[in-house]
Amino acid sequence: MELPIQRVGQSLTNVTLTAVSGFSDDQLKDFLQICIEDVASDADAHSLDQLVQHFSKITPKTLKEFYSTVVGFVLECVRQDADLSTIKTTLEDANWPANHIDAFLTPFQTQRAVIQDRLARTGQLFSQIVDLDWKLDYCLSSSEREKSLTPCYTVQLKTKPVDSDQLDDCQFQCTVEELQDMLAKFKDCCKSVERWSQQ
């Protein structure tokens, strides 16, 4: 079975043959460094115009293809937590010479932890509910009526973001009917999770 990293490595084969021929060894080392630093950095990535100015002997189309392929390969390596021998083998299968592999692995190893951290912060990581407080209030008047003794619940959720130890508060008010509706939805959710876990 073919691993995703091998699929990305095959695309490196196709692009590399045309791209690498225009690079000197130092230029290729600089280009790989730029690609990896762009993935690791919070700053904006290099624009195609900046790359064309820096690597003027290579066509913009080839630069763009090579850049996107190298960046995709870096992300796939980090996402799969690929070890260096797997990465090296994949690059060898893509017909990269040893000096080009070293030019890739050196900055990659330096920036790997930073890229892993960035990927961990990317995506939809929802806060966890760690506590719930509620109290029953009575609405004495409203804009529609002068006097009304309507029960109203104030609910306060304490949430903890995944990437922080600091607690956040989420507070809202609801009527008895709204609270009952929310409780029914929570029960449906719990039943669905139980059914799913028993499969």
Side-chain angles (χ1 to χ4, degrees):
M1 183 175 155
E2 186 180 63
L3 297 172
I5 194 170
Q6 292 169 327
R7 266 185 262 129
V8 177
Q10 288 173 351
S11 65
L12 275 173
T13 305
N14 301 333
V15 176
T16 302
L17 295 175
T18 54
V20 173
S21 61
F23 283 104
S24 69
D25 285 348
D26 288 338
Q27 284 181 320
L28 181 66
K29 186 177 179 181
D30 289 346
F31 184 80
L32 294 173
Q33 179 90 27
I34 287 170
C35 293
I36 293 168
E37 284 178 357
D38 280 354
V39 175
S41 173
D42 285 332
D44 290 338
H46 286 80
S47 70
L48 182 59
D49 292 337
Q50 290 172 319
L51 292 175
V52 168
Q53 286 175 357
H54 196 270
F55 304 101
S56 56
K57 294 182 181 178
I58 291 103
T59 65
K61 180 182 181 222
T62 304
L63 272 175
K64 187 177 178 181
E65 286 177 359
F66 193 41
Y67 180 87
S68 63
T69 305
V70 170
V71 166
F73 184 69
V74 168
L75 290 171
E76 197 61 39
C77 290
V78 173
R79 187 182 72 82
Q80 291 185 25
D81 199 21
D83 59 8
L84 292 179
S85 64
T86 304
I87 297 169
K88 192 172 184 177
T89 303
T90 304
L91 293 174
E92 286 170 351
D93 291 346
N95 299 323
W96 279 42
N99 61 333
H100 294 172
I101 293 171
D102 291 339
F104 175 84
L105 289 177
T106 303
F108 178 77
Q109 287 176 288
T110 306
Q111 298 291 345
R112 182 183 200 132
V114 175
I115 297 169
Q116 283 174 327
D117 184 53
R118 285 201 67 202
L119 283 179
R121 289 183 283 133
T122 304
Q124 295 184 349
L125 300 173
F126 298 106
S127 299
Q128 290 182 309
I129 297 174
V130 293
D131 194 15
L132 178 135
D133 290 325
W134 63 272
K135 66 179 179 177
L136 176 62
D137 293 324
Y138 285 96
C139 184
L140 300 177
S141 64
S142 69
S143 59
E144 293 139 14
R145 293 187 190 162
E146 226 171 271
K147 251 187 177 182
S148 69
L149 288 172
T150 310
C152 178
Y153 287 94
T154 302
V155 179
Q156 182 177 9
L157 300 174
K158 295 233 185 251
T159 59
K160 180 180 169 271
V162 175
D163 58 347
S164 171
D165 291 333
Q166 185 176 344
L167 294 178
D168 295 328
D169 289 332
C170 175
Q171 187 171 345
F172 60 92
Q173 290 184 331
C174 57
T175 64
V176 174
E177 293 83 17
E178 291 170 334
L179 189 62
Q180 288 172 341
D181 184 47
M182 188 172 62
L183 182 61
K185 288 179 182 178
F186 276 127
K187 286 181 180 179
D188 286 344
C189 180
C190 289
K191 286 178 187 176
S192 295
V193 170
E194 283 177 22
R195 272 187 256 131
W196 181 81
S197 66
Q198 292 173 355
Q199 291 179 353

